[in-house]
Amino acid sequence: MSLPSPLQTIKHSLFDRHKITVMIKRDDLIHPIISGNKWRKLKYNIEHAKKHGKKGIISFGGAYSNHIHALAFACYQEKLPCLGIIRGESHYANNFTLSWARHWQMKLSFVDRKTYRLRADRNYLNELQAQYPQHLIVPEGGSNSLAILGVTEIIDELNQQAVFDTLLTPVGSGGTLAGLISGDKNQHEIIGIAVLKQGKQSEQEKIDSQENDYLAKEVSSLLPFEATRYNNWQILSNHHLGGYAKFSDEDSQRILTFNQETGINFEPVYSGKMLLALLDLVEQGYFPQKHRIVMLHTGGLQGLGGLHERSIIKNNGWSLPDTAPQS
Ligand SMILES: Cc1ncc(COP(=O)(O)O)c(C=O)c1O
């Protein structure tokens, strides 16, 4: 583990023109496999499982999940058995992400979408726990109170590393943003960039303000009580580029160009969407001169393997991960 992760200033003509400072918290460099927010979210979950003598960990994810990939390796390293409950059919077991997960001895159980939707349902979880009484069940994306605790440590590190005004993070399940809000204690502006389209909202919710926003509600529900009064955060929901893991050739080219200009690898599902949101906001003059912004690089570079395998990205400059082991 390489901690604290470095904070680097990004040199770029756009930022110079707008007279702002942009830094990047390189959590992608924490560990070659358990990188980014994954290490932050898993650290206390693994510690908890070991301390309480758990016989293993169970968690949930899609067939290309960064969380499943990182959890498999973290458990392998700690000699903890683990089970991944995966949305989709069993042929996914040979894809890039899950081949690695199996290589690190994660057991996989494939479920249909209907069953997967129950992943946070109390009755379903009780049944699962009864089936595996000695296992720790960790939610999708790892987002639970132990994960929030791990993420707060990013803020402790940042406070030692720099003075800044705004912190930007991509938002999927919301745990990372919740951890940042909790650790920040209302000091800075925190902006989450939603990488997926908002879930279904009722008509009343659509009329109401951000308080009723689906993702914001999700984040609020993850906050420890004392953090529920903080009002220094928002989620921008117009930068998802079409939905989860969706982006155009032009979007991917913009990310690649930025990667080449700066030497930092952003991928197009999480960190790259945050990056493009930032570039757009800067171009729109969203930030005043002298503003100091920190982007959190949440890792996820293993995801490039699956995107390449499905020909969603081409081998035209992306820093692709090592090929998956053959089963
Ligand atoms: C690489 C990466 N970045 C960001 C996120 C979003 O984090 P969260 O789910 O905590 O909102 C995820 C998803 O877990 C991720 O895999």
Side-chain angles (χ1 to χ4, degrees), residues 37-38 41 66-67 141 143 170-177 267 270 298-300:
N37 59 352
K38 301 299 161 254
K41 286 168 143 194
N66 293 321
H67 164 64
S143 293
V171 182
S173 63
T176 305
L177 178 59
E267 48 68 52
Y270 291 99
T298 50

Side-chain angles (χ1 to χ4, degrees), residues 266-281:
F266 291 88
E267 48 68 52
V269 179
Y270 291 99
S271 57
K273 288 197 180 177
M274 167 183 65
L275 169 70
L276 295 190
L278 174 74
L279 298 182
D280 290 344
L281 292 172

Side-chain angles (χ1 to χ4, degrees), residues 216-236:
K217 267 191 184 165
E218 212 48 37
V219 172
S220 298
S221 74
L222 289 164
L223 290 176
F225 178 70
E226 68 278 9
T228 53
R229 66 191 162 87
Y230 300 150
N231 56 3
N232 59 329
W233 62 277
Q234 59 175 318
I235 299 174
L236 301 184

Side-chain angles (χ1 to χ4, degrees), residues 31-142:
H31 185 274
I33 297 163
I34 321 166
S35 86
N37 59 352
K38 301 299 161 254
W39 165 248
R40 307 287 187 177
K41 286 168 143 194
L42 289 175
K43 175 182 166 189
Y44 290 114
N45 275 294
I46 300 275
E47 258 185 46
H48 178 91
K50 287 176 69 180
K51 193 167 146 203
H52 291 86
K54 299 286 181 190
K55 294 271 184 308
I57 295 189
I58 303 176
S59 195
F60 305 86
Y64 295 91
S65 162
N66 293 321
H67 164 64
I68 288 292
H69 184 264
L71 177 67
F73 186 78
C75 286
Y76 175 68
Q77 220 183 10
E78 297 296 335
K79 301 188 172 52
L80 267 172
C82 69
L83 170 68
I85 300 183
I86 311 295
R87 181 186 54 224
E89 290 139 29
S90 56
H91 65 83
Y92 283 123
N94 295 319
N95 79 15
F96 178 87
T97 303
L98 298 181
S99 296
W100 277 114
R102 285 188 300 117
H103 181 71
W104 297 317
Q105 293 166 20
M106 179 183 254
K107 298 271 176 288
L108 302 176
S109 165
F110 291 90
V111 296
D112 59 23
R113 280 174 185 272
K114 200 169 153 212
T115 310
Y116 193 80
R117 258 184 239 123
L118 297 172
R119 64 196 178 278
D121 178 87
R122 191 172 293 276
N123 291 334
Y124 172 78
L125 290 173
N126 285 345
E127 274 173 36
L128 189 64
Q129 193 72 80
Q131 216 180 329
Y132 296 93
Q134 305 283 359
H135 279 58
L136 173 68
I137 302 178
V138 172
E140 181 183 55

